Amino acid sequence: MEALKITILYDLWEDTVPEPEPEPEPAKPSRGKKIKPVRKKKDPLHEREEIFNALTKLGYEPAYHVLDGRNQALLSLAKCSADLVFNLTESYAGDDTMDKNIAAFLEMLHLPYTGGGPQALYLAQDKAIAKKIFDFHKIKTPDFAVSYKGRTDHSHDIKFPLIIKPVSEDGSIGIDSGSVVESVKDLMERIHYIHEEFDSPALIEEYIEGREIYAAILGNESPEVLPLIELDLSKLPKGTPRIAGQDVKFFRDTEAYKLTKSAPVEDLDEETTQRLQDIALAAYRALKLRDYGRIDMRLNDKGEVFVIEANPNPWLASTAEFAMAAKKAGYTYAEAIDKIVKLAYARAA
């Protein structure tokens, strides 16, 4: 295992590369005053860099390969001599519905890779299909409807308040404080926004007030549910919906980001904890997730658990919820990465 050549596969395309900012004009110092040197903040490592360092520490031979939206990148991937691909791709050429196609391409090349296969990526990304599967398996999920340009594909008898989001986006794309609506007028306006902005069907879902609980899962035949993590939304300003929108998750300069944090859950009784873990495991298996994943749930004040969505190949940065749960379970960051590698490699053996 130590000699394995592991290609860290990630996606990048020209639209994501920011234009270089012009160098600022040097300030002219006033006479008799000294300018203090400014210490630059060290940028945090990218997820791929942390994984590269962990793999190196473990004795593997890691290398990077980027899919930049050009066919040449796919051709060179087909010719790579890796023993295993650590798949961190989330899109292809900016299209985040194409992650399943990348997994399918790796399958065709008979290249072993980490994380979800094409089926899992497809099922988890289309939230409406995922929810229908949850319903079939008696896994509680908020009632919902799907609407696209005047046509309703599926509808429960749902009631306000509602949360409206694109049916197939991830990373909280399309979710903000305006996503929760309490009137027909606001509902119609938000559906129109989703259609126009994302050219996507709108998922209309009952909004569940409650605690945002994440269950990280590691494994295949006998998956291990790691300690539960909660994203604490209680400090958001009064009147702000308690939802994990993009401002909460990614926009570091926003008040919402600064007021929320994730941490291991410490105050739940054993029975509730076990119920959350069992439901998360059922959802993980229902959508055919493998190696590692994260199930997002809501726990309301009646003790009811609702699965909101499943995340194959969740973010693996050392500060993210998955690594936080692994640490709470006793894994070092490198050990968690090693476990994922070994799970993926064992499937291909």
Side-chain angles (χ1 to χ4, degrees):
M1 290 290 292
E2 288 184 359
L4 280 185
K5 293 180 180 178
I6 300 178
T7 289
I8 299 172
L9 184 67
Y10 66 99
D11 58 285
L12 190 69
W13 66 100
E14 58 183 16
D15 287 350
T16 66
V17 181
E19 290 290 326
E21 294 183 5
E23 289 291 325
E25 290 285 331
K28 294 181 180 179
S30 302
R31 286 186 180 181
K33 288 186 179 180
K34 290 183 178 179
I35 294 180
K36 292 182 181 179
V38 177
R39 290 188 180 180
K40 288 186 177 180
K41 263 188 176 182
K42 187 178 179 183
D43 289 333
L45 292 177
H46 285 289
E47 170 195 34
R48 60 180 177 268
E49 294 169 330
E50 290 190 298
I51 292 170
F52 187 101
N53 292 343
L55 293 173
T56 302
K57 181 179 177 181
L58 291 162
Y60 298 120
E61 296 179 23
Y64 292 120
H65 188 94
V66 60
L67 293 183
D68 57 7
R70 297 178 302 128
N71 288 343
Q72 292 92 324
L74 290 172
L75 291 171
S76 59
L77 176 61
K79 295 174 183 176
C80 87
S81 58
D83 299 305
L84 180 77
V85 171
F86 207 112
N87 184 20
L88 299 179
T89 58
E90 296 179 334
S91 64
Y92 184 73
D95 184 348
D96 56 10
T97 66
M98 297 289 281
D99 58 351
K100 63 185 181 299
N101 300 67
I102 297 170
F105 185 68
L106 293 170
E107 297 266 355
M108 290 177 67
L109 297 175
H110 301 290
L111 257 177
Y113 61 95
T114 59
Q119 302 94 333
L121 295 171
Y122 173 73
L123 294 175
Q125 187 170 74
D126 191 316
K127 296 179 180 69
I129 290 179
K131 289 165 74 63
K132 290 173 188 177
I133 292 172
F134 293 153
D135 272 344
F136 177 82
H137 287 279
K138 311 300 182 192
I139 299 167
K140 191 183 284 288
T141 187
D143 287 342
F144 71 102
V146 179
S147 174
Y148 187 55
K149 297 185 176 178
R151 188 183 70 199
T152 300
D153 291 332
H154 180 91
S155 180
H156 280 108
D157 185 14
I158 54 178
K159 56 184 182 294
F160 290 99
L162 302 168
I163 181 168
I164 321 301
K165 46 191 160 181
V167 79
S168 293
E169 294 287 354
D170 56 10
S172 293
I173 291 172
I175 300 176
D176 55 42
S177 59
S179 297
V180 176
V181 300
E182 301 201 38
S183 70
V184 172
K185 178 180 177 293
D186 290 342
L187 168 63
M188 300 311 294
E189 288 178 355
R190 194 67 189 188
I191 290 173
H192 178 74
Y193 165 76
I194 296 296
H195 292 170
E196 293 299 311
E197 188 72 17
F198 303 99
D199 190 22
S200 165
L203 179 69
I204 306 159
E205 185 179 69
E206 284 192 11
Y207 170 67
I208 305 298
E209 186 69 58
R211 297 172 66 174
E212 182 101 352
I213 308 288
Y214 302 144
I217 300 176
L218 191 56
N220 292 322
E221 273 127 40
S222 301
E224 175 186 4
V225 185
L226 303 177
L228 301 172
I229 302 295
E230 178 174 12
L231 175 60
D232 184 4
L233 301 166
S234 63
K235 294 182 176 62
L236 287 173
K238 189 176 180 181
T240 303
R242 303 294 197 258
I243 56 174
Q246 281 201 299
D247 54 348
V248 166
K249 287 190 174 181
F250 303 114
F251 300 157
R252 293 174 179 270
D253 294 332
T254 64
E255 184 182 14
Y257 186 93
K258 294 170 183 174
L259 290 174
T260 55
K261 66 174 185 176
S262 296
V265 179
E266 305 286 2
D267 62 343
L268 291 178
D269 60 74
E270 189 175 333
E271 181 186 346
T272 304
T273 298
Q274 189 63 56
R275 189 152 43 87
L276 283 156
Q277 291 179 326
D278 289 346
I279 290 169
L281 189 55
Y284 182 88
R285 286 175 165 150
L287 297 190
K288 303 182 184 299
L289 272 60
R290 65 188 192 192
D291 297 346
Y292 68 109
R294 194 189 77 226
I295 307 299
D296 299 356
M297 297 172 286
R298 278 279 166 125
L299 175 66
N300 69 13
D301 56 7
K302 297 177 183 176
E304 297 173 306
V305 177
F306 295 81
V307 172
I308 303 301
E309 65 180 37
N311 296 275
N313 305 359
W315 197 31
L316 288 176
S318 60
T319 55
E321 286 87 359
F322 190 94
M324 199 179 292
K327 183 178 180 180
K328 183 69 176 176
Y331 293 95
T332 65
Y333 182 75
E335 286 169 346
I337 297 301
D338 192 37
K339 179 81 171 175
I340 292 168
V341 166
K342 287 175 175 171
L343 285 164
Y345 195 69
R347 282 191 289 100

